[in-house]
Amino acid sequence: MMHREVMATAERYSLERTTRSLLKLYQWVAKVNKVNHSNEHQSWNAAVNRIEEETKICSNFAHAIGEAVAGSLRGRVIG
């Protein structure tokens, strides 16, 4: 039972799913940059800030998943 829950959580935060999320973000950034050329510098700074925040969020997810998996495996013998 615990194994299925761990696997479901891992899937929710998988590399593939995270990559798709980041790709959507980058597509949004590209769209914003095309639409708003008059404020190009501000748009770029906003995009960089958003990407930095997204990176922090992904890092926090990865850390939380690692802690959850490590916590569920403590005391168990794998083999």
Side-chain angles (χ1 to χ4, degrees), residues 35-55:
V35 171
N36 192 1
H37 290 290
S38 64
N39 294 322
E40 189 172 320
H41 184 69
Q42 289 177 346
S43 293
W44 179 250
N45 286 338
V48 169
N49 289 338
R50 185 170 173 136
I51 291 168
E52 286 174 350
E53 291 303 314
E54 186 75 18
T55 301

Side-chain angles (χ1 to χ4, degrees), residues 2-3 7 12 16 18 29 35 51 53 56:
M2 178 72 79
H3 182 263
M7 293 304 292
R12 267 183 279 170
E16 181 179 338
T18 302
V29 169
V35 171
I51 291 168
E53 291 303 314
K56 289 177 189 175

Side-chain angles (χ1 to χ4, degrees), residues 12 23 25 33 37 43 49 51 58-59 67 69 72 78:
R12 267 183 279 170
L23 179 59
L25 172 66
N33 283 330
H37 290 290
S43 293
N49 289 338
I51 291 168
C58 290
S59 176
E67 288 295 316
V69 170
S72 70
I78 301 174

Side-chain angles (χ1 to χ4, degrees), residues 18-36:
T18 302
T19 302
R20 275 185 289 192
S21 176
L22 287 173
L23 179 59
K24 287 179 186 178
L25 172 66
Y26 296 145
Q27 289 169 336
W28 174 84
V29 169
K31 182 179 176 182
V32 167
N33 283 330
K34 285 181 183 177
V35 171
N36 192 1

